[in-house]
Amino acid sequence: MAGGGDVTSPVQQLLDEVHARIGGIDDGNVATYIPPLGKADPSLFGLALATRDGHVYEAGDTGVPFTIQSVSKPFVYALALHDRGLNAVLRKVGVEPTGEGFDAIRLEAGTGRALNPMVNAGAIVVASLVDGDDWGRRFQRILDGLSAFAGRELSVDHEVLASEERTGDHNRAIGYLLRNAGTLDGNVDEAVKVYFMACSTLVTARDLAVMAMTLSSGGVNPLTGRRVVGTDTTEHVMAVMATSGTYDFAGEWLLRSGLPAKSGVAGGLVAVLPSQLGIGVYSPPLDRRGTSVRAIAACQELSSRFGLHLMRPVTGTMSAIHRYLRGDAVSSRRSRRFAEREILRTRGRAIALCELQGDLGFASTDVAVRAVTGDHDGVRWLILDLHRVVRAEPVAVNLLDALVRELREHGVTTVVAVGEGRSPLASAETAFASLDEALEWCEDALVAEAGPAAEADREEVVPLPEQDVLRDLPADMLDVLTPLFAERRLAPGEVLFDVRDEPDESLYFVISGGLVAQVMQGEPAVPVQVASMGPGTAVTKLTLRRDDPRTYRIVAAEPTVCQVLTGGALKRLEHDRPQVVEALHWAMTRSLAARLRRADQQLAAHVASGPRSGTPPRG
């Protein structure tokens, strides 16, 4: 990239902005009923976001360890469902919201079941249902499971565990109530001990984001690729998180953030958007319900700014990236003289093309943005082609616009190819109705920037001896040809020929100005450019497809001068000097062969490049 340095993802920028703003909130109090939790620094604030392909965005204190506390509940519930099955767990623990706090002592009338697995009563029973012949093996199963969710080996904070055991009479009382109701089997102290140990497991905000994403992706850890639990299990867990994960705040939480979540009294919180992302937050100050104040604010703002609400309609599942190519593998249809083609051949990688498709939301656009920022070496111009985009959510437009602004800081100019040439990205340099026009614009900019030598080659007038087709002919043959040419001048917009004209073998050599090939599309019909020809190039009516129902024509884009070698002059020359005509035909064949080789290279590059779902090709 021309400006040097790494490009910061717009997602990272927005995460940093949210972290900076929310970090200024000083409401809430650190939990003290477990004494070691009261030692936490209230200024700590870590915010992490994990994506399905294993990328983790982080802001603030995401590496600071803390005990997971009640955030363990959905993950232990997942392990119990995996080990016992839904029906067996439902016989012991219900799934209805309590409308009460996390430590409420209330069981379901008539059954004695805990109301749901997110309150302490349900979590104690759930911990006892995880596989294991005794409490030690059950906890090891839980610790191994939590580690699999996090993608790394976790450990227990023994100081917090000892404190939980010293101050845990309320939970023991719940345990005895459960055993008396016939819901909890075995030794109460052992069952509660397993629950305490699960709550005392050490994690970080980054760990929580990965754990949340593992739930979101159907039970497969995005970092390790390991399946932890089944897809059905994660569906059940996320459903209960949505209705009960934040206790008596669950309804308003879901209304405002739209994200299934689970909070903990150490200040941790996980939130998930199914199939798209996982969020992990750590900030010790809590509100009166026991949920981190900054975590609430951060998740609500992220949901609003990224369009993450679970109930927001989403359609389409295809990759956002149709193709990602560099300018040495794709080019416009402009016919260029040899010197310009050489510049584009040797320096074309300065142009990048990203073709987007489908419905763009947060997750799909994030993948596309990281694809661009991950393959930016040497890029000076970026084309974002939106012709295949069906719908772009506001968050997608914001992310792309932020990407354009960030790229500009690194010396990259972004243009957009979009229907009718009206870009939704305010920060883009310009927009074109067709991809070909956008490519031509970037190529022209590259050629113009190539230096004094290139400028010398970009003369406004290219005489016959320097024409691309004629440049290699011997001087004596050029001397024979030159008197046979007739000059034709065209005003801007004047039609040189179109598909309705009679076939003609005449050759038109562009001396100055430029021509464009157009097709008439729509109702009423409007001209759409499909190719262009600058000075030094040649055209003929023989290239027109007469079976094409569309009106196809060659038009002067500006005041243009052509030298014309008519079909009649060619026939006379073929009779008088056949060797000259043969040399001319071979020159035209070589020019055509070079174009075919280029087209073949571009076709191979298109096939190799996509359609894609991840990072663009390197090399």
Side-chain angles (χ1 to χ4, degrees):
M1 186 160 295
D6 292 332
V7 176
T8 303
S9 164
V11 176
Q12 184 63 58
Q13 290 179 328
L14 289 173
L15 200 69
D16 290 339
E17 290 174 13
V18 170
H19 181 271
R21 197 183 73 77
I22 301 300
I25 298 176
D26 59 3
D27 296 340
N29 298 291
V30 175
T32 57
Y33 74 94
I34 301 174
L37 300 186
K39 301 175 184 178
D41 181 351
S43 69
L44 291 174
F45 179 28
L47 180 59
L49 187 154
T51 64
R52 186 162 188 165
D53 60 356
H55 188 83
V56 183
Y57 296 98
E58 301 179 57
D61 306 306
T62 56
V64 175
F66 58 94
T67 51
I68 192 169
Q69 297 299 326
S70 288
V71 181
S72 64
K73 292 173 180 175
F75 303 102
V76 178
Y77 183 50
L79 297 175
L81 290 174
H82 181 80
D83 293 346
R84 303 291 182 186
L86 176 62
N87 291 332
V89 176
L90 278 176
R91 283 194 289 269
K92 298 286 188 177
V93 182
V95 291
E96 299 302 326
T98 66
E100 298 176 352
F102 63 91
D103 57 352
I105 302 181
R106 183 161 72 92
L107 305 180
E108 186 177 71
T111 67
R113 294 189 308 174
L115 291 179
N116 67 66
M118 301 297 127
V119 294
N120 290 8
I124 292 170
V125 176
V126 164
S128 74
L129 295 176
V130 173
D131 275 351
D133 294 335
D134 55 39
W135 70 268
R137 289 186 175 88
R138 280 197 299 277
F139 174 67
Q140 190 59 52
R141 162 68 174 140
I142 290 173
L143 185 61
D144 290 343
L146 294 177
S147 297
F149 273 106
R152 73 179 185 91
E153 187 174 344
L154 303 178
S155 61
V156 171
D157 186 323
H158 291 282
E159 180 188 3
V160 171
L161 174 60
S163 182
E164 295 241 24
E165 292 179 325
R166 286 194 303 271
T167 61
D169 288 344
H170 187 90
N171 285 313
R172 290 188 186 90
I174 293 174
Y176 281 105
L177 181 65
L178 289 165
R179 191 176 71 172
N180 183 66
T183 304
L184 179 64
D185 299 325
N187 184 286
V188 170
D189 287 338
E190 290 181 354
V192 173
K193 182 179 183 68
V194 172
Y195 168 70
F196 287 155
M197 294 179 76
C199 290
S200 301
T201 302
L202 285 166
V203 293
T204 66
R206 177 188 171 90
D207 290 332
L208 292 186
V210 174
M211 295 171 79
M213 188 62 236
T214 303
L215 283 179
S216 174
S217 62
V220 177
N221 186 292
L223 299 183
T224 66
R226 174 186 172 187
R227 176 167 291 282
V228 183
V229 293
T231 301
D232 289 348
T233 292
T234 61
E235 290 175 1
H236 299 148
V237 171
M238 288 187 288
V240 177
M241 288 172 68
T243 59
S244 305
T246 50
Y247 312 118
D248 50 338
F249 183 52
E252 185 174 345
W253 169 271
L254 190 61
L255 176 70
R256 293 187 180 277
S257 73
L259 299 170
K262 184 69 196 79
S263 59
V265 294
L269 182 141
V270 294
V272 298
L273 183 61
S275 299
Q276 296 197 57
L277 56 84
I279 297 172
V281 191
Y282 171 55
S283 179
L286 312 177
D287 66 8
R288 61 180 180 80
R289 300 181 179 93
T291 301
S292 169
V293 174
R294 294 191 188 112
I296 293 172
C299 287
Q300 290 180 358
E301 182 160 342
L302 287 174
S303 177
S304 175
R305 296 185 68 168
F306 288 158
L308 304 181
H309 202 290
L310 180 65
M311 305 306 174
R312 189 181 188 89
V314 176
T315 59
T317 58
M318 68 174 65
S319 164
I321 302 175
H322 179 67
R323 298 188 193 280
Y324 185 95
L325 296 165
R326 290 291 194 95
D328 57 349
V330 64
S331 64
S332 71
R333 294 190 178 97
R334 181 175 178 83
S335 297
R336 297 183 181 274
R337 59 181 310 200
F338 177 79
E340 291 183 345
R341 294 203 305 272
E342 282 298 291
I343 292 170
L344 296 177
R345 183 182 67 82
T346 58
R347 308 188 189 189
R349 286 186 61 78
I351 299 171
L353 163 64
C354 184
E355 295 179 84
L356 302 178
Q357 66 180 358
D359 294 302
L360 300 185
F362 168 77
S364 57
T365 307
D366 170 57
V367 171
V369 165
R370 283 192 280 119
V372 172
T373 58
D375 188 44
H376 60 70
D377 185 38
V379 174
R380 282 280 292 108
W381 295 271
L382 171 68
I383 302 168
L384 290 175
D385 184 2
L386 306 182
H387 282 98
R388 296 175 179 269
V389 173
V390 177
R391 183 181 66 173
E393 295 285 346
V395 62
V397 175
N398 291 339
L399 288 177
L400 291 174
D401 221 22
L403 171 66
V404 171
R405 292 193 299 270
E406 175 71 7
L407 290 174
R408 184 187 297 126
E409 294 296 318
H410 289 74
V412 179
T413 299
T414 303
V415 301
V416 175
V418 63
E420 301 182 357
R422 291 197 294 267
S423 173
L425 308 182
S427 300
E429 180 73 16
T430 187
F432 300 93
S434 72
L435 173 59
D436 192 71
E437 290 175 281
L439 278 165
E440 182 179 327
W441 187 91
C442 292
E443 291 169 351
D444 287 343
L446 173 57
V447 170
E449 197 179 78
E455 289 298 321
D457 286 329
R458 285 176 56 84
E459 297 173 357
E460 294 183 359
V461 177
V462 178
L464 284 173
E466 295 298 322
Q467 291 284 316
D468 195 37
V469 173
L470 305 177
R471 63 196 307 270
D472 292 328
L473 288 181
D476 60 328
M477 292 186 177
L478 278 174
D479 291 340
V480 173
L481 284 172
T482 300
L484 302 178
F485 282 92
E487 183 176 277
R488 178 167 179 185
R489 293 178 175 270
L490 296 98
E494 184 176 348
V495 178
L496 179 62
F497 50 77
D498 67 31
V499 73
R500 293 167 296 190
D501 293 341
E502 290 301 316
D504 186 353
E505 294 184 5
S506 298
L507 294 173
Y508 297 81
F509 293 84
V510 182
I511 303 300
S512 64
L515 305 172
V516 293
Q518 297 175 337
V519 293
M520 305 301 291
Q521 292 184 344
E523 188 64 42
V526 294
V528 176
Q529 177 179 321
V530 295
S532 64
M533 291 71 69
T537 60
V539 295
T540 175
K541 293 181 184 179
L542 295 177
T543 61
L544 296 183
R545 284 182 52 194
R546 303 190 63 77
D547 61 340
D548 194 329
R550 300 174 299 176
T551 300
Y552 186 98
R553 63 188 190 179
I554 305 295
V555 179
E558 56 187 298
T560 302
V561 176
C562 293
Q563 289 289 342
V564 186
L565 187 61
T566 66
L570 279 170
K571 290 184 184 301
R572 291 192 299 273
L573 186 63
E574 189 172 18
H575 180 271
D576 299 335
R577 300 288 296 273
Q579 71 276 17
V580 175
V581 175
E582 182 180 4
L584 180 60
H585 285 166
W586 274 112
M588 294 171 66
T589 300
R590 286 194 297 271
S591 177
L592 177 60
R595 293 187 185 188
L596 290 175
R597 285 195 299 272
R598 175 68 171 163
D600 184 63
Q601 292 169 355
Q602 293 189 14
L603 178 61
H606 273 270
V607 171
S609 69
R612 304 188 59 81
S613 62
T615 304
R618 303 280 184 169

